[in-house]
Amino acid sequence: MWLDAKNRRGSVIVLMAVSLVAVLSILALSFDGGMLEDKRRSVQAAADAAALAAATDLWDHYTTNAGLDPSGTARASALSTAAANGYPNNGVTSVVTVNINPLSGDFVGKPGYAEVIVQLNLPRGFSSIWGSDSLHVTARAVAGGTPGNVGILMLNP
C-alpha cells in the first residue's frame, strides 16, 4: 500500500511550493492591508485638518465674502495644511481637491463650507505579486459654519 521511495520522490517539493504560495499571499494581504489602514487614518487626519483650515479662513472673511472664496485664501490654506501633513498635491503621490461650497454630501452648494478630498497613491509592497498599479487611499472631509446663532453652553449651572 505504501509508495516506495522512488515513487514519492519530489512530492514534498510540490506540496512546499503550493504552501509557500499560500503563505506569501497571506503575508501580502496582512502587510499591505495593515499599511493601507495606517495610511487611511493619516489621510483622513490630513483631510480633516485641511477642511478645518479652509473653514476657518471662510469664517474669518465671512462678512466681506459671504462664505465664498473669491481671492482663493481658503483654498490656499487648505492646500498648505495638507502639504504640512505630508500630502503636497503633486499629482503623483498625492492629489488634494478643495471645493469651496461642497460638490457632494449634505452641504452641497452651501456657502461657508469647504470640502477637501485627499487621495494618496501608495506603491504596493508584497501585493505587487498580484499587480503593479498603485493602491489608492482616499479621504473626504467637510467643515464650515456660518456666523450667527452663537450660544452659551453651561456645563454646571
Side-chain angles (χ1 to χ4, degrees):
M1 198 51 80
W2 292 93
L3 297 174
D4 59 1
K6 184 179 179 183
N7 291 334
R8 290 188 299 171
R9 191 173 219 178
S11 63
V12 172
I13 292 175
V14 173
L15 289 174
M16 190 165 178
V18 170
S19 298
L20 188 59
V21 169
V23 167
L24 285 177
S25 298
I26 291 170
L27 178 66
L29 285 174
S30 300
F31 179 75
D32 284 356
M35 184 175 56
L36 282 173
E37 184 62 25
D38 177 55
K39 292 300 180 183
R40 185 193 63 79
R41 290 179 183 160
S42 175
V43 169
Q44 185 64 57
D48 291 343
L52 188 58
T56 301
D57 187 88
L58 291 172
W59 175 275
D60 289 343
H61 301 103
Y62 198 88
T63 55
T64 57
N65 296 335
L68 302 176
D69 190 29
S71 60
T73 56
R75 183 178 191 283
S77 180
L79 290 174
S80 67
T81 301
N85 281 290
Y87 304 98
N89 192 29
N90 58 13
V92 178
T93 58
S94 64
V95 178
V96 180
T97 306
V98 180
N99 299 316
I100 305 300
N101 299 350
L103 300 178
S104 63
D106 294 337
F107 301 99
V108 173
K110 291 187 177 180
Y113 290 87
E115 173 185 41
V116 176
I117 302 167
V118 178
Q119 177 182 328
L120 174 66
N121 301 320
L122 195 62
R124 289 179 180 261
F126 280 111
S127 68
S128 61
I129 59 176
W130 292 318
S132 60
D133 57 331
S134 61
L135 301 171
H136 304 292
V137 181
T138 305
R140 175 183 175 271
V142 175
T146 55
N149 295 337
V150 178
I152 297 173
L153 175 64
M154 295 179 62
L155 297 177
N156 189 6

